[in-house]
Amino acid sequence: MTLSLLPGAPAARGKFITLEGGEGVGKSTNLAFIQDYLRRRQISALVTREPGGTGLAEKIRALLLDKNDEPMTETAELLLVFAARAQHLRHVIEPALAQGRWVLCDRFTDATYAYQGGGRNMSVSAIAWLETLVQGNLRPDLTLLLDAPIEIGLARAKARGISDRFEEEKADFFEKIRTAYLRQAELHPERIRLIAADRPLPQVQAAIAAAIDPLLDGVSRPSIADRAE
Ligand code: Z5A
């Protein structure tokens, strides 16, 4: 029996997995796949998203995505993203990880480096400063960066219909985001796995499973029934 299963022993900290990538690359689709992949291995993961994940953070999300009459400044956008993240970390992500739950999050701070840093040309050092202020040392255990030429993701997103404030941007904005994401992958090879997302879904999901499997090594797996939902 492993130590984490002894009565009264503290639960091992959960794993924190984030999904990243440009518009329509398949984050939501593959988040559901990962949740199911983990469930079949007796891990019931908490699925959440950014911006959002708490009542207040979802209100901030609505402000960020809304095509407001008053144009939002880049600085306001950056600060709102981190304000939502502070709420999400304190009230959802941190408690779940501390209780031993795995957390799957649709976008996290790499999106800030990509959208606000790459897309909006905000200072990377300002983003890094806010990252430390809001997160301390917390970083994802694994980030899956779904990458595809922007035309593919935009065509998939467009097929869905209504666009939000970000989706109304021009192609150049999305190219800058893709470049900034790829830069993040170069800077953090220990954490970020690049997944080519312009392939048929079964191939994308095989690559995702291969990236997750090392995290499962050595994890004791209480049955789902033993875990708090
Ligand atoms: N934002 C920010 O600026 N700064 C930050 O720090 C954060 C976020 C955290 C929230 O978007 C917005 O917030 C985001 C950036 C900003 N910008 N926008 N817009 P979001 O994450 O909620 O929305 P999104 O990027 O637009 O996600 P999405 O459009 O929902 O895309 P997706 O989740 O990656 O794709 P999907 O819904 O899974 O798939 C799209 C379609 O493609 C769907 O019909 C699938 O069936 C299909 N699909 C998926 N994979 C495949 C493959 N492999 N082959 C064929 N078809 C596929």
Side-chain angles (χ1 to χ4, degrees):
M1 183 183 273
T2 60
L3 190 60
S4 63
L5 292 178
L6 289 172
R13 195 172 163 81
K15 302 286 184 195
F16 183 27
I17 302 178
T18 58
L19 250 90
E20 296 280 3
E23 317 302 297
V25 285
K27 295 177 301 299
S28 312
T29 307
N30 288 302
L31 212 63
F33 164 77
I34 297 169
Q35 185 178 22
D36 185 54
Y37 188 77
L38 293 177
R39 189 181 291 278
R40 282 187 276 120
R41 285 154 188 79
Q42 282 74 54
I43 294 171
S44 144
L46 176 79
V47 176
T48 185
R49 67 175 181 181
E50 290 220 343
T54 76
L56 185 51
E58 288 291 330
K59 288 182 185 167
I60 297 174
R61 177 188 177 91
L63 285 175
L64 281 161
L65 299 189
D66 194 42
K67 296 170 207 163
N68 314 286
D69 292 337
E70 175 182 323
M72 186 178 291
T73 67
E74 291 82 357
T75 306
E77 187 179 282
L78 174 65
L79 294 174
L80 284 172
V81 161
F82 271 109
R85 184 161 298 138
Q87 293 299 116
H88 195 201
L89 280 168
R90 170 72 63 86
H91 295 298
V92 174
I93 296 177
E94 280 284 13
L97 294 173
Q99 285 164 18
R101 277 200 93 176
W102 289 40
V103 176
L104 303 180
C105 191
D106 191 340
R107 296 192 187 278
F108 193 61
T109 308
D110 293 302
T112 315
Y113 282 98
Y115 281 77
Q116 282 64 50
R120 306 281 194 221
N121 298 314
M122 293 294 289
S123 149
V124 169
S125 56
I127 297 173
W129 188 85
L130 287 165
E131 181 180 33
T132 303
L133 175 74
V134 170
Q135 297 170 219
N137 291 329
L138 186 128
R139 301 290 179 275
D141 294 291
L142 173 68
T143 296
L144 301 161
L145 172 55
L146 302 179
D147 177 64
I150 63 158
E151 311 75 54
I152 292 183
L154 288 176
R156 287 180 191 163
K158 194 168 266 179
R160 254 187 344 213
I162 314 158
S163 64
D164 62 35
R165 194 170 62 84
F166 289 94
E167 287 163 349
E168 300 234 309
E169 293 286 345
K170 304 215 164 28
D172 171 55
F173 177 76
F174 297 107
E175 286 294 4
K176 287 196 282 183
I177 285 163
R178 187 179 184 206
T179 303
Y181 263 133
L182 293 173
R183 174 89 183 120
Q184 282 297 100
E186 268 174 32
L187 288 174
H188 303 287
E190 75 296 345
R191 168 174 68 82
I192 302 182
R193 296 283 166 274
L194 190 61
I195 310 278
D198 53 350
R199 298 175 285 174
L201 208 45
Q203 287 180 29
V204 174
Q205 293 180 339
I208 288 175
I212 288 175
D213 282 345
L215 283 188
L216 295 166
D217 289 346
V219 173
S220 63
R221 297 169 209 169
S223 74
I224 291 174
D226 293 339
R227 302 175 67 96
E229 275 299 323

